[in-house]
Structures are given as C-alpha cells and as structure tokens.
Amino acid sequence: MTARRATVAGHTYEFPTLVEVMAKATPARSGDVLAGCAATSEAERVAAQTVLADLPLTTFLDEQVVGYDEDDVTRLVLDTLDAAALEPVRALTVGGFREWLLARAAAGDEPAITGLARGLTPEMAAAVSKLMRNADLVAVGRRARVITGLRSTIGLPGRLASRLQPNHPTDDALGVTASLLDGLLHGSGDAVIGINPATDSPAQTIALLELIDAVISRYEIPTQSCVLAHVTTTLRALEKGAPVDLVFQSVAGTQGGNEGFGVTLDLLTEARSAALELGRGTVGSNVTYFETGQGSALSAGAHLGVGGRPVDQQTLECRAYGVARHYDPLLVNTVVGFIGPEYLYDAKQVIRAGLEDHFCGKLLGLPMGVDVCYTNHTDVDPDDTDTLTLLLGAAGCSFVIAVPGSDDVMLHYQSLSFQDVLTARQVLGLRPAPEFEAWLQRMDLVDDAGRVRELTADAPQARALLAAAR
Amino acid sequence: MSDAFDVLRSATRARVALGRAGDGLPTDRLLEFRAAHAAARDAVHTPLDVDALVDELAGTGLDVLTVTSAAPDRATYLQRPDLGRQLAEGTRLPGGEHDLALVVADGLSPRAVADHAAGTVSAVLERLAGWSVAPLVVATQARVALGDPVGEALGARIVVVVIGERPGLSSADSLGLYLTWGPRTGRADSERNCISNVRPPHGLSYAQAAETLAGLLLASRELGASGVVLKDEGPALE
C-alpha cells in the first residue's frame, strides 16, 4: 500500500493508511483526539479530505479499515453486500459520489438514492459524509427514504414520529404510567413507547411490557412497546410469554464493541426470529430496535482497526449501522449527546454528529431517528437542541425521543420534551405516523387542523386517558 | 392548569403536566428548567475553593495535602479523562505505611465536594478508631482513578476517593465514595466499590454513607480485596 499525499497551504501531508485518511478527514471532535487519531491541524484535515475526495469508492471494497479476518462486522458487511445496488456509483470517487448524491437530491430523485443502500459499505457512507457540509447532510438525508412498520408506519414523507420514553428511577408502575399518559396527551408515542428499565431482569421487563401493553390495548393505540433491556433479558421474557413487540439492543461497529455489549450477531438473529414468530404486527413486520452512538467502541476499548491503528468514531458508528441493517429494524437511533464531552465536546460537535448519523444511517437503509440530548458536563443547552431538532426535521429524520419536560429522571440526562416535538411538527409542517394520527383524531386529542389540543384536566378526552392512572 | 393533573404530578418526579404556551413551555416552567440546568452547569464549572476545604479538613487533626491531576484546566479535564487519572508531573507525596488513604477529589461537581466532603470525611473517621490513616489529600481536576497513584505513593492498603458526581438536573451536589483495595495505577473499575448519592437531605446522610463505607472497609481489609468479590459479601449498596 503506498502512502497518499496532498498539499495544503504549501505543506504536503502524507497518510500511510486508509484508516488515517478517514480519521484525519473527520470534522473535529474530542473523541478522535482522545483516541489519538484526529488531524493535528485544520490544514491536515483538509489535506486528508482532499485525498479522500480522490479515492475511488471501490477502494473500500479492496481495502479494509477493520480487518476481515479479525472482525465479524466487516465479514457481515462484505459477505452480504449487493454488488448490483452499487452499480450506478461504482465508477465514482468519493468526491464524485458527493456530487452525484447532491444532484439526485436536488432533482428529488429518491429512488436513485434509496436504491444504493445495500450496495454501500458503512465506510463509503462515512467517507462521503466527511466531505459534506451540514446542509449537504440535510439535503441528501431527506431524500433517502426508508419506510418501516409494525403497528404504525415510520418514515413516510412529511412525518416526524416520536418515541415516548416514560422512564422512572425505580420502574414504579404509577410513575411510569403518569409520564406515559402525559406523552399521549401531547401526541407523542407513535414510533414506540419505550422504557429504559432501572433493573435489567426478566421479571421487571415482563412487568413493564405488560403495563405498556395494557395501555395500548385499553385505548387501541396503533403503536408498539419496548423495554430496552439487554437482548438476552428480552428473550427470557419472550419465552415466558411476555407481550414483546420489539427486541432491543445497543450495538457497536466492531466485534469487540459488541462483545462489550454482551451480544453476538447470532444472538441478534435468534432474537429477531423469536419476535417475528409472535406475529404482533398489523401494518408491517419490522421487529427490532437498535441504539448506537459515536464513541461507544472507544469507550469499550474496541476501536482499533487494521495494523492496530485507532479508527475514528464516526466511521465506527457507521459500521454499527452495518450491523443494524442486517436485522430489518423498525427503528434505529443514535443517542447523540449522551456519551459525554470526551467524545463530543460541545454543541457544534453534537449537532454535526447528529446530522452525520442521520444521513449515514438513512443512506445505508436504516429507519434513522436521533435522541437529541445532552448531559450537564457537555457544553450544550436547549437552544442547541432546538437547532439540531429543527435541522433533523428538515432532514426528514424518522423519529426523535421525548420525555416529560426534557428531564429523564432515570438516566439523568436531558432529551427533548413533548412540547419540543409539537414545535418541530408545527414549524416544519410535519405530522405523526398516519395510524397514530388517526387515533389522535378518534380520541379527539387533535383539532380539525391536526394540532394537538391543549386540554384542561377535566376535559372529557383528558379524563378518558387519566382513568388509566387510577 | 387544573389540579386534576395532580394525579400525574404526585405519581412521579418527572416533569409531567407542565402545560403549554402554544406548542412551547409556559414562561415559569421554562425558567424553572433553566434554573436547574444553570445549577448543574455551575456545579461542573465553578472551581473548588481548595483553601477553604483544606481549612475545614484540618479540623480532623490530620495533615492535609493538595495535588492536581495532569489535566491543566477544566476544558482539558472534560475532554481527556485519561489525564484526570494521572498526577501532574513532579507531584511528590510522603511515603508511609497506612491502613487507609482518603482522597477528596473535585470530580464533575466541585460544589458537591464543597458542600458535603468535610462532613462525610469526619463521619467516616469517627467510625475508624484504631485505623492508621494517611494525610488527607485534596485533588483537583481529578477522576476516581487518580486515587490509585495517590494511595500507592502514600503507602496505603486501601484508598477511598470522595468525589463530586456528574450533576443531574435536580441533583447538582451529589457526592460519591469509591473504595479500592491495594491502590496502584491500572486498577479496573470492577475492582472498586461505590456508594453514590451522598447529598443530605435528599440523598444519603453523612452518617448513612459513613456507616456503609465502614462496613465495606472492614470487609475489604478482612478479604484483602475490593470490587465485585466484596460486593457479594458486603452490605447492600445504593
């Protein structure tokens, strides 16, 4: 392998391997500095981008970032790649691919963009995203159409769904129910009603699944439930007859990262099959849900690629999508601001990462959502999450996460509020998933214009729902 | 908003039934959120008043030393946890032979340390009659694992790091206690025991935390270990 070079501002920079080209071409973020793979100057970053722009896309078929023999994610991706799907762009460079995507997006040619998904490797998506500006990521992201369904349909044009996340620090049934009802009254929950359990046990998982299922059944809500326990816990619950709509798992972009999460690819296959057998879908049969996030491989010490070199966190994130897409998920979301300032330091980095993750996920064929969120030691505030939310809405993001008043009292971080979802829908002219929208109409929770009503507690619609809390 | 929504409010600490202004939040709810976030942000970024804390800790009768990590400032500290686990170059600590070293570290909430560390340390020392305790160490820009090189240098068989925890929106002042047997650089997190959420009156009291820690210390000394092995034997943890 010969070193690749580019000259910027009179200085020639050399990049010995593909791993270094990818890492140093990545827009600045703290996690790559921590990993020791970031560009050491802005000029070096542009030099790496210049090298990357001239690489043929097929470079990524011939040359690996993480070795084929060492890593089952690389094998999964390459062994299941659809060569025909890549054909329209096979002859292009990465820079040419960016222009091709922008041209198709401007022409509104969704089928051309969407048709590539199964022919692209995660590294190809990562590479082109590194050349793109934020507006490029929005413009192309909104034309990569991915539609999935179980009891509601996710990803249709003009729709923005939300995961209602009624977490409680002790999984208290009444506490969970209160947050759940608050969300429904605000028109949230069309993507999923999904709880992060405080305790990862089959008994607790079953109790929470039955709780959500009871509310969904009582009010005939066209949505699905999920308890985001470890996949092995969900499998145990499923064996005991629990009403499992979706099997959930956090996934990473390397075999080592997935081992850190306690999962193998075979285990995910088994879980998907088990959920499919229950046949709980009405409008579709997507039964898996994955969460990802830049930095997860590094935090597990599983971020090294060919030659033991550190791989940048955004490329590794795309490889997690290469895992997820194998299991036909209903939902995938990046938890973009959760991991902390050592991976994404401030609002600029979080906003950039959120747009990259959405774009790359969609390009690779995933029903991509984003948990627009932050912790208190990251330099992000609600003004910044407003910015990212509105950008993601414009980018056609499939769903976002919402909790009461932005405050997750179990996981101790801030995500979007139910009001934030209403604002994004209103400003951008977006609507909930169609089945859920019809339910909101049936329950008279929206007015004739489709706006979620602001109800007093003694309004009949509110009383009908609040009865579930008694 | 009508009181009938109190059914929801009384069921959870979550911010339910906040009401709306159009699709946004009412102004008072918006300001409440900002106040909570401001407290959490200030807890992270307001530096620890080291002199004041040293004066307070001197009341225990023990010598008090100060160290800093290899992270030169808050911004570096937040982005480079590896530097927060190493002592600044040239740090010198007096070697000795002790049962226990106590390290008070600013962590992610210097405010928690300012509010609760001295009270917690006193309550712990009261329960350790007969233990030989090394000089107290106040550490800034410090992560939990900074206790390993400190404890090692002091010649302590066990180190306890008393550290400010990542502030939550409604808990900016939460203190954590981390016990490690045989401190030395490179110890894994699985070799530690943790008592979290020390923040009277909402969380654990100093006495509760000290009682639990004293039990863990006795068990650790007997077992010659800490972490997962000890957790199984020891009292229930928060």
Side-chain angles (χ1 to χ4, degrees):
Chain A
M1 182 185 332
T2 54
R4 295 159 170 130
R5 293 183 188 80
T7 300
V8 170
H11 190 280
T12 300
Y13 297 86
E14 192 172 298
F15 306 96
T17 67
L18 185 60
V19 177
E20 281 147 310
V21 174
M22 293 288 273
K24 289 175 183 286
T26 307
R29 66 208 57 197
S30 49
D32 290 343
V33 176
L34 183 63
C37 63
T40 52
S41 68
E42 293 306 322
E44 188 187 28
R45 193 182 330 278
V46 178
Q49 291 172 352
T50 306
V51 167
L52 186 59
D54 285 341
L55 289 183
L57 269 187
T58 51
T59 306
F60 297 97
L61 299 178
D62 305 330
E63 212 175 312
Q64 298 316 310
V65 168
V66 181
Y68 182 90
D69 293 331
E70 295 80 52
D71 191 281
D72 64 4
V73 175
T74 305
R75 291 197 292 278
L76 178 74
V77 165
L78 292 179
D79 294 351
T80 60
L81 212 57
D82 179 354
L86 181 66
E87 210 44 51
V89 296
R90 170 181 283 271
L92 301 178
T93 61
V94 177
F97 182 37
R98 171 182 170 274
E99 293 173 354
W100 187 96
L101 286 170
L102 287 169
R104 296 305 178 285
D109 189 352
E110 292 183 2
I113 295 171
T114 306
L116 298 175
R118 292 287 172 159
L120 296 173
T121 68
E123 288 81 358
M124 292 175 189
V128 75
S129 77
K130 293 175 196 298
L131 301 182
M132 291 176 130
R133 279 180 33 190
N134 285 2
D136 297 347
L137 299 172
V138 171
V140 182
R142 70 192 290 265
R143 296 300 186 184
R145 181 71 47 209
V146 182
I147 298 167
T148 58
L150 190 66
R151 289 198 295 272
S152 60
T153 306
I154 309 299
L156 292 168
R159 308 278 175 173
L160 174 65
S162 68
R163 167 181 160 197
L164 199 178
Q165 182 170 295
N167 292 346
H168 187 276
T170 60
D171 294 335
D172 176 70
L174 204 56
V176 166
T177 304
S179 292
L180 201 171
L181 296 177
D182 195 41
L184 291 174
L185 285 166
H186 287 86
S188 269
D190 43 342
V192 61
I193 299 170
I195 299 175
N196 300 90
T199 310
D200 194 306
S201 74
Q204 190 65 266
T205 298
I206 292 169
L208 290 171
L209 282 168
E210 288 177 344
L211 186 160
I212 310 174
D213 190 56
V215 174
I216 288 177
S217 301
R218 175 172 182 166
Y219 298 104
E220 300 177 325
I221 310 171
T223 187
Q224 34 282 324
S225 72
C226 189
V227 172
L228 285 77
H230 192 266
V231 65
T232 52
T233 307
T234 304
L235 273 172
R236 294 266 300 280
L238 202 148
E239 284 159 11
K240 292 181 188 228
V244 173
D245 291 336
L246 296 171
V247 286
F248 167 84
Q249 184 55 47
S250 293
V251 292
T254 61
Q255 184 174 337
N258 287 320
E259 282 165 3
F261 283 131
V263 293
T264 62
L265 302 178
D266 287 345
L267 185 59
L268 297 177
T269 303
E270 181 193 341
R272 175 172 177 267
S273 303
L276 265 181
E277 270 179 36
L278 297 183
R280 293 174 61 85
T282 52
V283 299
S285 56
N286 300 104
V287 293
T288 59
Y289 173 18
F290 298 103
E291 278 191 343
T292 65
Q294 293 190 26
S296 61
L298 174 57
S299 73
H303 62 294
L304 301 181
V306 170
R309 291 178 171 80
V311 178
D312 71 89
Q313 65 186 31
Q314 193 251 341
T315 298
L316 292 173
E317 171 73 3
C318 287
R319 290 171 52 89
Y321 307 155
V323 174
R325 72 174 173 183
H326 191 65
Y327 304 95
D328 296 328
L330 178 77
L331 306 164
V332 179
N333 67 264
T334 172
V335 191
V336 71
F338 185 71
I339 194 163
E342 62 268 45
Y343 302 95
L344 296 168
Y345 180 62
D346 58 14
K348 182 176 173 70
Q349 295 183 10
V350 167
I351 289 168
R352 172 76 199 179
L355 294 174
E356 288 169 349
D357 292 354
H358 174 261
F359 163 80
C360 291
K362 282 280 171 72
L363 194 62
L364 291 167
L366 292 181
M368 203 68 197
V370 176
D371 188 353
V372 179
C373 63
Y374 59 101
T375 56
N376 290 319
H377 61 323
T378 303
D379 193 6
V380 176
D381 67 20
D383 291 334
D384 303 314
T385 54
D386 286 346
T387 302
L388 179 53
T389 303
L390 293 173
L391 284 169
L392 285 168
C397 183
S398 294
F399 68 102
V400 291
I401 309 263
V403 300
S406 290
D407 180 8
D408 189 306
V409 293
M410 204 286 280
L411 293 173
H412 301 298
Y413 78 121
Q414 285 90 255
S415 183
L416 299 184
S417 67
F418 304 130
Q419 288 86 348
D420 292 334
V421 177
L422 293 179
T423 300
R425 284 176 179 159
Q426 161 69 16
V427 168
L428 298 166
L430 302 171
R431 292 150 58 199
E435 303 82 1
F436 191 84
E437 185 179 42
W439 176 80
L440 290 171
Q441 287 159 356
R442 279 203 302 281
M443 296 290 287
D444 198 25
L445 291 170
V446 290
D447 65 19
D448 292 342
R451 284 192 298 263
V452 172
R453 293 182 192 280
E454 188 181 348
L455 298 171
T456 57
D458 55 1
Q461 307 96 314
R463 291 162 66 101
L465 272 179
L466 289 175
R470 294 208 175 88
Chain B
M1 185 126 329
S2 161
D3 286 348
F5 277 127
D6 284 345
V7 177
L8 302 187
R9 294 191 193 98
S10 63
T12 178
R13 288 198 290 114
R15 294 169 195 251
V16 293
L18 296 183
R20 283 160 52 189
D23 291 327
L25 281 176
T27 303
D28 51 357
R29 297 287 96 84
L30 172 72
L31 291 173
E32 275 171 19
F33 183 93
R34 280 197 185 150
H37 188 231
R41 295 286 292 158
D42 288 345
V44 174
H45 289 281
T46 306
L48 181 65
D49 185 340
V50 174
D51 292 342
L53 182 62
V54 167
D55 285 350
E56 261 193 291
L57 290 172
T60 62
L62 291 168
D63 286 343
V64 186
L65 311 173
T66 60
V67 299
T68 61
S69 78
D73 53 48
R74 206 62 178 160
T76 309
Y77 172 79
L78 290 171
Q79 293 176 80
R80 293 290 304 273
D82 52 328
L83 297 181
R85 299 182 192 116
Q86 304 164 28
L87 283 165
E89 217 178 299
T91 302
R92 291 187 174 203
L93 288 165
E97 260 189 61
H98 305 283
D99 294 326
L100 173 68
L102 283 164
V103 179
V104 178
D106 55 357
L108 287 167
S109 176
R111 179 182 149 195
V113 171
D115 289 1
H116 304 307
T120 302
V121 167
S122 295
V124 169
L125 291 174
E126 279 168 22
R127 286 165 175 76
L128 296 179
W131 283 59
S132 117
V133 180
L136 300 174
V137 174
V138 174
T140 48
Q141 311 296 11
R143 302 266 172 183
V144 169
L146 189 72
D148 294 341
V150 171
E152 188 175 18
L154 291 171
R157 291 204 284 167
I158 304 177
V159 68
V160 169
V161 177
V162 177
I163 191 166
E165 299 184 313
R166 194 184 88 193
L169 206 57
S170 48
S171 56
D173 63 336
S174 183
L175 202 66
L177 311 180
Y178 289 81
L179 182 162
T180 310
W181 169 267
R184 59 162 196 272
T185 298
R187 283 285 185 205
D189 287 343
S190 58
E191 297 176 280
R192 309 186 200 284
N193 296 86
C194 172
I195 299 165
S196 181
N197 196 33
V198 183
R199 50 181 293 264
H202 305 288
L204 292 183
S205 69
Y206 305 151
Q208 285 172 316
E211 201 63 35
T212 305
L213 182 68
L216 283 170
L217 282 168
L218 286 171
S220 177
R221 190 163 71 168
E222 200 165 305
L223 211 66
S226 60
V228 182
V229 278
L230 178 58
K231 208 169 188 174
D232 291 339
E233 308 289 326
L237 295 177
E238 180 71 12

